[in-house]
């Protein structure tokens, strides 16, 4: 899907996620104000607010009333490639199963 295929708020969401992935935005970084983002992207403030709502839902940013929006510490995990997230979960499951198997084998050896 190209940028032209996306709604304006989706382009903002994609751009913020890309900036997190690339390390340009890090945990606790403050995002520009809604007005500044609207000017930067050439959209209405409501479009920026919709993008920020989406980013909050996805766990990329959090907002404080009157203080602004900030990148979450865990933002990089939230924007990670789904494939790499699945691999990480599989690695954790294999490690847990290996540990359980070792405990089971150790308890069987004690019974001998």
């Amino acid at each position: 899907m190209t940028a032209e295929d996306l709604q304006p708020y989706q382009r903002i969401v994609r751009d913020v996620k890309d900036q997190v992935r690339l390390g340009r935005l890090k945990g606790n970084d403050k995002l520009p104000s809604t007005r500044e983002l609207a000017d930067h992207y050439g959209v209405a403030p409501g479009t920026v607010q919709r993008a920020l709502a989406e980013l909050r839902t996805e766990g990329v940013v959090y907002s404080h009333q009157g203080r602004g929006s900030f990148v979450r510490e865990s933002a990089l995990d939230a924007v990670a490639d789904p494939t790499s997230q699945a691999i990480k979960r599989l690695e954790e499951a294999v490690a847990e199963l290996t540990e359980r198997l070792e405990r089971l084998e150790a308890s069987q050896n004690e019974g001998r």
Side-chain angles (χ1 to χ4, degrees):
M1 183 177 282
T2 65
E4 292 78 31
D5 296 332
L6 299 174
Q7 294 290 321
Y9 83 93
Q10 291 171 317
R11 286 197 296 273
I12 297 168
V13 169
R14 178 188 276 180
D15 188 46
V16 170
K17 287 179 175 181
D18 286 346
Q19 290 183 51
V20 169
R21 256 187 231 100
L22 295 170
R24 292 183 189 141
L25 286 174
K26 295 177 178 48
N28 295 320
D29 281 356
K30 186 178 187 306
L31 295 178
S33 71
T34 299
R35 172 59 58 203
E36 291 169 329
L37 288 169
D39 289 346
H40 174 77
Y41 289 102
V43 298
T47 302
V48 172
Q49 290 170 343
R50 184 170 179 189
L52 291 173
E54 179 88 13
L55 289 164
R56 279 192 300 273
T57 299
E58 294 183 21
V60 178
V61 302
Y62 64 96
S63 299
H64 282 290
Q65 185 67 34
R67 291 183 41 212
S69 295
F70 301 82
V71 178
R72 284 193 177 280
E73 284 288 333
S74 59
L76 191 55
D77 291 336
V79 300
D81 176 30
T83 303
S84 64
Q85 287 178 334
I87 291 170
K88 183 178 178 181
R89 284 193 302 274
L90 285 171
E91 288 171 341
E92 290 168 356
V94 167
E96 181 185 332
L97 289 170
T98 300
E99 186 179 310
R100 290 171 66 186
L101 180 59
E102 288 170 353
R103 283 194 312 261
L104 180 61
E105 287 174 344
S107 68
Q108 286 178 345
N109 288 338
E110 289 172 8
R112 291 184 182 164

